[in-house]
Amino acid sequence: MGMKIDILTLFPNLFTGFLSESIIKRAIEKKLLEINLINFRDYSPLNNGQVDDTPYGGGPGMVLRCEPIFRCLDEIKTPDSVVIMLSPSGKPFKQQMAREISQAKHIILICGRYEGFDERIKTLVDLEVSIGDYVLTGGEVPAMVVIDAVSRLIPGVINADSLTSESFEENLLDYPNYTKPSEYRNLKVPDVLLSGDHAKIKAYREEARRNITKKNRPDLME
Ligand code: ADE
């Protein structure tokens, strides 16, 4: 049980807040998650710790060189490892992908900076992942997104009841929730939720899920 996650990054400190609070912190304490931050600059063979260089063929920006990543993976990759590269050119990250990744014993997340990776690094990679159609300054925030979404699916990390009937189950968004007070500034909780009639509540919620999905994410319903 549990998962080991190695994060290859040039900016390990970006992760410290994320890993030291709330559910992720508790998962690490309970040994359901083991997370290692690896600065791949430490694997540069060049005396100045250089990790990037200008692109062959010309063009703007800097490209991450092969050697630091290859040398680091030589040390940490095993037959059990799933190697994931974060890149805006990757496959879209979805709840189903999070479910599949959550089955792995060991994942290695490679975070890029600059214009991108030397293409040859992809020979080491099992899965290229993008968290959305926008360009970020690096793969660190995407890696946190992947870790967050995957961790909560590992048994014991959160209450299993919280995983049923949430957004993206059955390709629908979640139903709306209300809590006390039943009326606030003239805003009322729908009567059906106070009725105690569980069949009616179930039907209301199913319809609400269809309606919100149609409005905000018609693409999910095809
Ligand atoms: N690196 C930069 N932008 C990214 C994105 N949208 N997804 C994954 N990695 C990225």
Side-chain angles (χ1 to χ4, degrees), residues 86-88 112 129-139 142:
L86 289 314
S87 154
V129 174
S130 164
I131 63 158
D133 294 344
Y134 34 78
V135 180
L136 301 169
T137 57

Side-chain angles (χ1 to χ4, degrees), residues 3 23 93-103 146-158 162-164 166 169:
M3 179 188 281
I23 290 171
F93 187 59
K94 298 277 167 68
Q95 189 66 19
Q96 182 53 31
M97 199 187 274
R99 289 185 199 109
E100 285 160 21
I101 295 170
S102 75
Q103 304 295 310
V146 170
I147 293 167
D148 195 290
V150 167
S151 297
R152 62 191 289 290
L153 301 177
I154 295 171
V157 171
I158 63 171
S162 308
L163 296 177
T164 62
E166 61 180 358
E169 293 295 326

